[in-house]
Amino acid sequence: MNISVLIPSNDEPKIHEVVRRVEALNIADQIIVCNDRLGNGKGWAIREAFKAATGDIICFIDGDLDIEPRMILRLIPFLEDYDIVVGKKQVRRSLGRRILTKFSRIYTTLLFGLNIDTQTGLKLFKRYALLPWVTNSFFFDIEILAKARNKGLQIIEVPVEVTDYGKSSKPMKLRHIWRCLNESINIWGSL
């Protein structure tokens, strides 16, 4: 098993720590930090990194250290029976954040048939399961996962531990929610 770990970064202050922790796991044949300095979007940065990836297994982990990198080890065994393994955060945030997360899951289930946490920043793919995508924003995960589901690929969600770092505790602004709704409708229309 040959693993390429792709770490998107928008000048994340913890990126070097994430890389160090992934290296310490001794499982990655390749670690690619994809920095989106031009503001093209997380989906674009990961797509560019994927062009250089050589692994049979492709891992996405966010560069903000919100998820403990050793959680990759928790997800790997599931690749024996599944094509894609998606991390699931245990929501321990404010009531508003929990309601938003619940609404998001219902919405993605109704629109895409995906009853999984599409936005958790840890995912593992068998290389063939990482289908081409066009979405450049951070919503690219939904496009990839919806295409995989439509092709009949097997996806499982596995609980992962979060750290006290990361950005996920920041409040979600109404304009971000509106943008997410618009982008998801566009993705749905393109499938």
Side-chain angles (χ1 to χ4, degrees), residues 117-131:
D117 186 351
T118 60
Q119 295 305 300
T120 293
L122 178 60
K123 296 173 185 67
L124 271 66
F125 300 83
K126 291 180 180 172
R127 186 177 194 90
Y128 66 80
L130 190 52
L131 303 170

Side-chain angles (χ1 to χ4, degrees), residues 102-144:
K102 185 66 103 177
F103 172 74
S104 173
R105 284 184 74 106
I106 291 168
Y107 181 75
T108 54
T109 300
L110 292 173
L111 207 57
F112 301 101
L114 295 169
N115 188 18
I116 56 176
D117 186 351
T118 60
Q119 295 305 300
T120 293
L122 178 60
K123 296 173 185 67
L124 271 66
F125 300 83
K126 291 180 180 172
R127 186 177 194 90
Y128 66 80
L130 190 52
L131 303 170
W133 69 93
V134 296
T135 304
N136 287 335
S137 71
F138 68 91
F139 238 62
F140 79 104
D141 311 68
I142 287 183
E143 180 182 348
I144 292 169

Side-chain angles (χ1 to χ4, degrees), residues 45-171:
I46 290 283
R47 188 182 313 104
E48 291 301 304
F50 181 59
K51 291 176 185 176
T54 58
D56 308 326
I57 305 300
I58 307 297
C59 172
F60 299 167
I61 185 164
D62 283 351
D64 61 2
L65 202 58
D66 187 39
I67 296 173
E68 178 57 54
R70 69 182 153 74
M71 292 294 101
I72 297 170
L73 297 173
R74 181 179 287 175
L75 274 56
I76 288 174
F78 290 92
L79 288 171
E80 286 191 31
D81 299 316
Y82 296 90
D83 304 300
I84 301 170
V85 185
V86 176
K88 176 188 179 191
K89 288 184 195 176
Q90 303 301 335
V91 179
R92 56 181 182 170
R93 310 281 191 245
S94 68
L95 176 62
R97 189 68 171 197
R98 288 194 307 259
I99 291 169
L100 187 59
T101 299
K102 185 66 103 177
F103 172 74
S104 173
R105 284 184 74 106
I106 291 168
Y107 181 75
T108 54
T109 300
L110 292 173
L111 207 57
F112 301 101
L114 295 169
N115 188 18
I116 56 176
D117 186 351
T118 60
Q119 295 305 300
T120 293
L122 178 60
K123 296 173 185 67
L124 271 66
F125 300 83
K126 291 180 180 172
R127 186 177 194 90
Y128 66 80
L130 190 52
L131 303 170
W133 69 93
V134 296
T135 304
N136 287 335
S137 71
F138 68 91
F139 238 62
F140 79 104
D141 311 68
I142 287 183
E143 180 182 348
I144 292 169
L145 295 169
K147 285 180 174 182
R149 186 190 114 351
N150 290 348
K151 264 198 132 107
L153 297 175
Q154 298 297 307
I155 305 171
I156 189 171
E157 184 178 56
V158 176
V160 294
E161 297 171 21
V162 296
T163 67
D164 292 330
Y165 307 110
K167 298 180 181 176
S168 58
S169 61
K170 287 185 179 179

